[in-house]
Amino acid sequence: QVQLVESGGGSVQAGGSLRLSCAPSGATWRINCMGWFRQAPGKEREGVATINTGGGSTYYADSVKGRFTISQDNAKNTLLLQMNSLKPEDTAMYYCAARTGSACYSGSWALSPINFAYWGQGTQVTVSS
């Protein structure tokens, strides 16, 4: 089993920045791909960014390309999401997710929540205009 704990959410004005962190524990050696997803009230959960933990390939939703950066801090065994130039439409609960068994494939596949078995509790991000 894999457990995930997110941190770093909060409230910020449009144009500001936030950095989210996710700390995995448990059977972390089984993880092949990790990512960030978000869900706004009344909307479906959507993929934001994912990364293959072995090869480092990254995948981003079009809506965040050029603004968000996903990375790994291997020394701290932590997944990061740097979010810059935040917009009110980025407001959502952000979830960390992990996948075992195989790496993430193409962009759309890698951003689909159904392909991730392990989830954190979420951290709220609110962007005001």
Side-chain angles (χ1 to χ4, degrees):
Q1 293 294 320
V2 173
Q3 295 81 42
L4 304 169
V5 178
E6 305 98 334
S7 61
S11 297
V12 65
Q13 289 191 328
S17 298
L18 284 174
R19 189 174 77 165
L20 305 184
S21 298
C22 174
S25 62
T28 58
W29 64 89
R30 297 179 59 205
I31 296 174
N32 298 107
C33 181
M34 295 187 72
W36 292 95
F37 295 75
R38 66 186 182 187
Q39 188 167 18
K43 295 188 176 181
E44 293 187 353
R45 191 169 297 188
E46 63 175 2
V48 175
T50 59
I51 183 169
N52 282 322
T53 56
S57 300
T58 57
Y59 308 93
Y60 292 92
D62 289 341
S63 59
V64 306
K65 283 180 181 177
R67 300 189 298 123
F68 291 10
T69 302
I70 189 170
S71 63
Q72 302 174 92
D73 184 336
N74 291 325
K76 297 181 179 179
N77 192 31
T78 301
L79 180 72
L80 304 172
L81 183 69
Q82 179 66 43
M83 304 185 294
N84 299 327
S85 302
L86 282 160
K87 304 176 180 179
E89 50 264 43
D90 294 319
T91 295
M93 185 70 78
Y94 282 70
Y95 297 91
C96 176
R99 159 178 184 80
T100 62
S102 70
C104 286
Y105 299 108
S106 65
S108 58
W109 192 98
L111 295 172
S112 177
I114 196 173
N115 295 317
F116 291 77
Y118 301 98
W119 294 85
Q121 293 299 307
T123 184
Q124 178 68 37
V125 171
T126 302
V127 185
S128 58
S129 58

